[in-house]
Amino acid sequence: CDESEFRIVDDALTAGLAQKKSVYEITRDPRVAEIASQQTVYRWVSLGLTTARKIDLPMAAKYKKRKAKTYEYGGSSKGKEGRTYLDYLAYRRANPGEFGCQMDFLGSIVADKKAILTISIPELHFAYIRLLPKCDPGAVRALWDWIDAKIGREAFRRVFSFIPTDNDPCFADFASIEAGADGEVRTRMFYADPYVSNQKGSVENMNGQLRLHFPKGKSVDGLTEERVREANEAMIDRPLKSLGGKSPRDAFEAVYGKGAIELLLDYVKPKG
């Protein structure tokens, strides 16, 4: 390409990254697509030709020296017989066609009084995030009750038919999450083995992507529900190569219909 064409791509890349867009999404812009492919843009960045540096890319590796520390695991797998990772695999085998979700907290600084809960549907690359009081099992239970009431029991069972998670104390009371206020079972909880995060790899990956909106080391206490919702909408509206250029919202609506997403995101009133 000539200099003017390169400048179009370079400007679009800089602006897109500032808006937290992926390189794939940026190269889908017709102006950019006519000039350079996703692979070409990555190559230009690696060669140092663009204004954006490799470290500016959303998923570029950022290495730093690890601090030596003793890690104390706060959760426990005791009392959760029948809900292990192997039990989860057996359940999936016996219930083909169900998608379910994964659940985890996005890491926050120690002093924070709030935390972001991430719910991920792996096959759809779909994320649902909420700001909750930190270390509050009751808030987690209340959120699932709210979702149940918001979208209805039938839809709840279709979308959230099972929930693999970790042994965080906030998730320990599986009975209160599995059953609604009426006592009817609405989902199944399963727990990953301690220190084996790849058993719920989708939500771990989603938390990594959320760092574009909520950088590590920064407090989330000052966030509003509206700000969290805006980040959630940005995550599910991104076109993804893994979905053939469609967005997680498109995938969710294709599988479950259009109504549930609007209900899930209707927890704060939009501006205006």
Side-chain angles (χ1 to χ4, degrees), residues 23-24 27 36-43 241:
V23 174
Y24 174 72
T27 54
S37 66
Q38 180 184 3
Q39 290 75 15
T40 297
V41 171
Y42 274 121
R43 186 170 67 252
K241 189 174 183 179

Side-chain angles (χ1 to χ4, degrees), residues 83-209:
R83 291 175 174 79
T84 68
Y85 182 67
L86 293 185
D87 295 318
Y88 161 72
L89 294 179
Y91 179 89
R92 292 298 305 269
R93 179 67 178 83
N95 296 273
E98 292 185 7
F99 285 169
C101 66
Q102 298 178 10
M103 175 172 63
D104 196 9
F105 278 107
L106 179 69
S108 58
I109 63 176
V110 175
D112 273 351
K113 295 181 180 180
K114 296 180 181 179
I116 293 175
L117 180 73
T118 306
I119 299 170
S120 170
I121 302 177
E123 292 86 352
L124 309 182
H125 303 276
F126 185 87
Y128 181 63
I129 60 176
R130 291 294 297 269
L131 189 65
L132 300 180
K134 193 174 184 179
C135 302
D136 186 346
V140 175
R141 179 179 64 252
L143 173 61
W144 285 111
D145 288 343
W146 181 91
I147 293 173
D148 189 5
K150 193 72 172 178
I151 68 175
R153 181 62 56 80
E154 182 180 353
F156 186 100
R157 285 173 170 161
R158 286 191 296 114
V159 180
F160 306 109
S161 56
F162 55 85
I163 311 172
T165 186
D166 59 22
N167 289 283
D168 188 300
C170 285
F171 307 145
D173 186 9
F174 54 81
S176 68
I177 297 176
E178 287 185 338
D182 56 6
E184 287 190 6
V185 175
R186 58 192 178 187
T187 187
R188 284 290 306 276
M189 291 276 290
F190 298 96
Y191 296 89
D193 296 319
Y195 309 107
V196 191
S197 60
N198 64 346
Q199 291 180 353
K200 52 179 181 63
S202 173
V203 73
E204 294 283 348
N205 179 274
M206 197 64 70
N207 278 339
Q209 296 179 48

Side-chain angles (χ1 to χ4, degrees), residues 231-245:
N232 201 158
E233 299 248 27
M235 292 289 290
I236 66 174
D237 285 334
R238 303 170 300 162
L240 299 178
K241 189 174 183 179
S242 55
L243 292 175

